[in-house]
Amino acid sequence: MKVIIVGAGVLGVSVARQLAVVGENVLLLDQRGAGTGTTATTFAWTNSSRKPDPDYHRLNLAGMEEHTRLAAQLGGAPSYFPSGALQWADAANERRLADNVERLQALGYPAHWVTPDEAARIAGALRIPAAITSIAHFPSEGYVLPDRFVNNLLADAEEHGATCAIGEVVAIDDRPDGVSVTLAGGEVRTGDRVVLAAGRWTQRLAARAGIDLPMVTDTGRGAPTVGLLGYARSPELDLRCVIHSPGLNLRPEAGGHTVLQALDLNADVDPADPPSADGDIASTLARRFSALLPDPGRAPEIDLRIGFRSLPADGHTVAGYASAQSRVYCLVSHSGITLAPILGRLVAAEISTDQEQDLLGAFRPTRLTGVRRSDIEVDQHATGLGEQ
């Protein structure tokens, strides 16, 4: 079977790798290159911390477990780190954190309270502010280095025979006898199945195949799709796990660098007028980071990067064929980093064997067919402690 995968982000490459491993003929297309879209601007925290929907929680748990299995199979530099995560609450966030810890403990999700001294040993070289009143530890969580992860997946996919090419898809023809995609230069590629895994561009591409896949598409100032990340080049920091605090989220990056996220600042981020390196947003991010450093006197060097989240309208992953007759498989998720390994395996199994996978049953695109958008759309602004 020949499968054309549109989108070489973390989901597309994961599916390509799994299909190649089981012997399918795989062509992976991306308009810019592997890992250069949504995957390049993600906080990359692996978790099922605030996933109250039971089906979504189970799927994310499976994603976390699959990361461990996949890490043992992939070559290349390590890209997955089961470091655990800490959430620090001040008086304003105490109740929110306590309620979530209680809910997760009732589900059997590893979560427990730690003292500031214990938290300091887990976190590494960070200073915990005096205003922090409670700290929870989530030992099963972790993080991914997205560029390494995609490169490792792609290398393994190509080793198993997959082909990756640059090409912008402008049309998709879904027929009973096969599928074809037309590229911007006029070239037509044919196959037996197409997987749409194009992140925030998935709705637009789906429409070209006659598929209605409602997503949040606003990319203006403060839109829920818009997220700002800071990449701190200095000072180098011995950060050992993911941190969520009331004003700043942090995760380790390669070479002692740190990825920073301040959710409340996203409301002032306009992709059409990106924040400057010496503007108010950059200064606020630097000030909050400095307040957590062992030596707050040294001004950090931070590069800013705007990202765009891939948000299905109802907030949940989409995974499945557009209809019972369709040969186009739609795949999009806001939890792409956590879910990439499990979605890669399950989606590849559905395509190669025609056997439905139970974990994906609640996430079919057909759940959105004929439904008024106003009945399903939810507010997906991430603003609170432990959100993404």
Side-chain angles (χ1 to χ4, degrees):
M1 179 188 300
K2 182 173 182 180
V3 183
I4 301 172
I5 299 175
V6 182
V10 67
L11 293 184
V13 176
S14 294
V15 175
R17 184 251 174 198
Q18 288 285 353
L19 284 169
V21 165
V22 299
E24 305 296 355
N25 181 353
V26 178
L27 172 62
L28 183 62
L29 294 171
D30 195 275
Q31 60 182 336
R32 296 185 180 90
T36 59
T38 304
T39 301
T41 52
T42 171
F43 190 64
W45 165 41
T46 59
N47 75 96
S48 190
S49 179
R50 290 192 178 272
K51 309 292 194 305
D53 177 84
D55 292 318
Y56 199 36
H57 180 67
R58 283 192 292 270
L59 185 61
N60 278 267
L61 286 178
M64 296 164 69
E65 294 168 359
E66 194 74 14
H67 264 290
T68 300
R69 288 191 285 270
L70 182 59
Q73 300 170 16
L74 289 180
S79 59
Y80 166 62
F81 300 86
S83 62
L86 291 167
Q87 293 188 23
W88 306 349
D90 55 14
N93 288 278
E94 267 187 345
R95 186 72 264 160
R96 173 182 173 83
L97 179 57
D99 288 347
N100 200 45
V101 168
E102 182 179 358
R103 180 185 67 85
L104 291 171
Q105 288 176 335
L107 293 171
Y109 189 87
H112 59 267
W113 300 105
V114 294
T115 67
D117 286 344
E118 290 170 328
R121 289 192 292 271
I122 295 167
L126 277 187
R127 188 169 63 87
I128 300 175
I132 298 302
T133 56
S134 58
I135 305 173
H137 183 217
F138 304 86
S140 66
E141 297 176 359
Y143 67 95
V144 166
L145 299 182
D147 53 346
R148 282 191 193 174
F149 188 43
V150 169
N151 288 339
N152 292 345
L153 286 166
L154 183 59
D156 202 56
E158 292 179 331
E159 187 174 319
H160 284 89
T163 300
C164 185
I166 301 295
E168 181 184 357
V169 174
V170 296
I172 300 170
D173 188 11
D174 183 9
R175 307 180 309 275
D177 61 337
V179 285
S180 64
V181 299
T182 303
L183 305 184
E187 183 180 3
V188 177
R189 298 293 189 101
T190 61
D192 300 292
R193 300 286 189 277
V194 164
V195 178
L196 283 185
R200 64 189 179 94
W201 295 279
T202 301
Q203 175 179 298
R204 185 180 68 195
L205 287 173
R208 293 174 181 173
I211 301 165
D212 182 17
L213 185 61
M215 294 180 62
V216 182
T217 56
D218 180 13
T219 57
R221 180 186 296 273
T225 57
V226 176
L228 180 72
L229 292 179
Y231 291 78
R233 293 176 282 112
S234 71
E236 293 187 3
L237 191 64
D238 180 27
L239 181 63
R240 300 171 189 170
C241 71
V242 178
I243 305 289
H244 292 82
S245 76
L248 193 68
N249 300 332
L250 310 90
R251 76 154 167 87
E253 182 55 89
H257 298 175
T258 308
V259 178
L260 310 173
Q261 180 187 59
L263 295 175
D264 61 307
L265 299 184
N266 289 340
D268 296 320
V269 174
D270 185 355
D273 183 21
S276 63
D278 57 353
D280 290 343
I281 289 177
S283 298
T284 300
L285 198 63
R287 183 174 65 253
R288 293 181 187 179
F289 184 40
S290 294
L292 304 181
L293 297 175
D295 178 14
R298 180 180 174 186
E301 298 178 34
I302 303 172
D303 298 324
L304 301 180
R305 189 182 302 174
I306 296 175
F308 298 94
R309 299 179 174 98
S310 302
L311 302 178
D314 66 354
H316 291 160
T317 295
V318 172
Y321 288 105
S323 69
Q325 298 77 36
S326 179
R327 293 172 179 265
V328 177
Y329 196 107
C330 301
L331 182 63
V332 61
S333 178
H334 175 40
S335 301
I337 289 292
T338 297
L339 296 180
I342 191 64
L343 288 177
R345 180 166 66 81
L346 297 180
V347 171
E350 291 200 327
I351 291 171
S352 62
T353 69
D354 285 328
Q355 297 296 311
E356 292 192 355
Q357 303 297 302
D358 290 343
L359 274 174
L360 300 183
F363 303 103
R364 305 307 186 190
T366 49
R367 74 180 188 268
L368 306 170
T369 303
V371 179
R372 290 186 305 178
R373 189 178 183 114
S374 59
D375 291 339
I376 61 168
E377 193 160 17
V378 296
D379 183 0
Q380 297 185 62
H381 283 92
T383 57
L385 182 69
E387 291 183 345
Q388 277 297 297

